[in-house]
Amino acid sequence: MKRIGFLSFGHWAPGHGSLVPTAADALQQTLDLAIAAEEVGADGAFVRVHHFARQLASPFPLLAAIGARTSTIEIGTAVIDMRYENPLYMAEDAAAADLLSGGRLQLGLSRGSPETALNGSQSFGYVPDEGETDADLARRHTEVFRAAIAGAGVAMSNPQMTGMERPLAIEPRSPGLPERIWWGAGTRATAVWAAEQGMNLMSSTLLTEETGASLADLQAEQIQLFRDAWATAGHGFAPRVSISRSILPIIDDETEHYFGLRAQRDGEDQVGHLDGGLARFGRSYIGAPDKIAEELAADAAVQAADTILVTVPNQLGVAFNARILESIVRDIKPALGD
C-alpha cells in the first residue's frame, strides 16, 4: 500500500476571517494537523521551508514537537533550501529531532526555489565560492551535512582537554538517518544525480523542464531514470520515491464552496516561465473521491512512486484539512495499489 502524507507550507496572514493569522497559529496548527493526520491513518506529516516569507521557516523545533506528540507518522521536510543551512548545526538538529521521534524523520533537501529575497542566503552568511553557482553551494552544504550525520570527523580534538589528537564527529547522531535523506529534483538529470549520491527522490508538483509530455508522464520518466541510476550505483539499501499532488475531494458543502468551481479550471497541467525557462506545473485533482481515485490510478507517476505528499490548504484550518485527509485515506488510497 502506498504511503499518503500531507505537505504544508504553513502560510499565515492577519485579516478578517483568517484561521491562521499569526506565525504561532501556523506552528500550532501544523502540530495539531499532524496529530489529527495520524489519528485518521495518514502516513506522513511534511513541511515546506521558505525564508523571508509568512510561511514555515525553521523546521526542526516543529518537527521535534510533532515527533514528541505522535508515535507512528513519518515527519519530514519537502524541502529544505540547503543554501541557507549551516550543515554541522543542521546535523545536530536533525539527529535530535530524529531521536525524539524514534527514527521517523525523512529529510527532503534541495537547492530551493525562486524566493522573495534577492540573494537571501547571502544575508544568512552563505556566499558561493568563486566559480560556484547557487546549486553548487547547496550541494556542497549537503555533502558536509551528510558526512556529519554519518559520523565523519569534522574537527580535531583539543589535546589539553582529551589527552590525544583525533577527529571528532558531531553529536548526537541517529542510526539510520543517513538512509532517510531525500533530494528534491526538478529535472531528470538532477534525479539521476540524486541516485548516484545515494539519496531518495522527491519530485514536486512542478518540473523545471518542458518536453510537451504531461507532468505525470515526465515524472514517471524521471523516476525510472532515478531507479536505473540507483541500480547502477549499487547502494546497499532500497530507495524511496515521493511525488506531490494537489488532491481536494468534494465531500460536503464546505469543500464544494471552496473548490467546486476550481475543478474544471485547475484540471489540466500548466506551463509557465520559472528561473528563466519553461516549467510544467501539475494539475489539481478535484471532485468526488471515487472520480479522483480513478484519475490517480491512471497517473503514471503516482503508480511509480511509493509515497504521495498531498499539499494542503493550511489556511482553512485543522478541522477542514483533517476531513480532507480522512477522505483521501479512506476513499482514495485503497485504489492506488502498492
Side-chain angles (χ1 to χ4, degrees), residues 275-338:
D275 267 357
L278 287 176
R280 180 166 286 269
F281 301 80
R283 56 165 294 191
S284 294
Y285 290 83
I286 305 173
D290 58 345
K291 176 177 179 290
I292 292 175
E294 182 179 343
E295 292 173 339
L296 288 173
D299 183 314
V302 168
Q303 294 307 305
D306 60 77
T307 301
I308 315 300
L309 299 183
V310 179
T311 56
V312 295
N314 77 282
Q315 288 176 294
L316 294 178
V318 175
F320 181 90
N321 283 292
R323 292 203 313 277
I324 286 179
L325 289 172
E326 184 175 23
S327 174
I328 292 171
V329 170
R330 181 188 63 231
D331 306 322
I332 297 174
K333 179 182 177 181
L336 303 185
D338 296 327

Side-chain angles (χ1 to χ4, degrees), residues 61 80 94 105 122 155 175 194 226 330 336:
I80 295 174
L105 188 63
Q122 296 186 25
F226 168 81
R330 181 188 63 231
L336 303 185

Side-chain angles (χ1 to χ4, degrees), residues 77-111:
T77 57
V79 290
I80 295 174
D81 186 335
M82 290 301 291
R83 296 174 298 168
Y84 283 82
E85 296 298 321
N86 177 320
L88 300 185
Y89 194 20
M90 178 177 165
E92 294 176 339
D93 278 349
D98 194 41
L99 291 168
L100 284 169
S101 72
R104 289 181 281 132
L105 188 63
Q106 305 284 343
L107 275 185
L109 318 177
S110 189
R111 174 264 181 237

Side-chain angles (χ1 to χ4, degrees), residues 9 16 21 33 39-40 57 66-67 70 79 103 109 126 163 168 170 226 270 287 308 332:
F9 283 45
H16 178 71
L33 182 58
E39 290 173 350
V40 302
I66 294 173
T70 58
V79 290
L109 318 177
Y126 303 116
L168 297 176
I170 286 293
F226 168 81
Q270 301 294 319
I308 315 300
I332 297 174

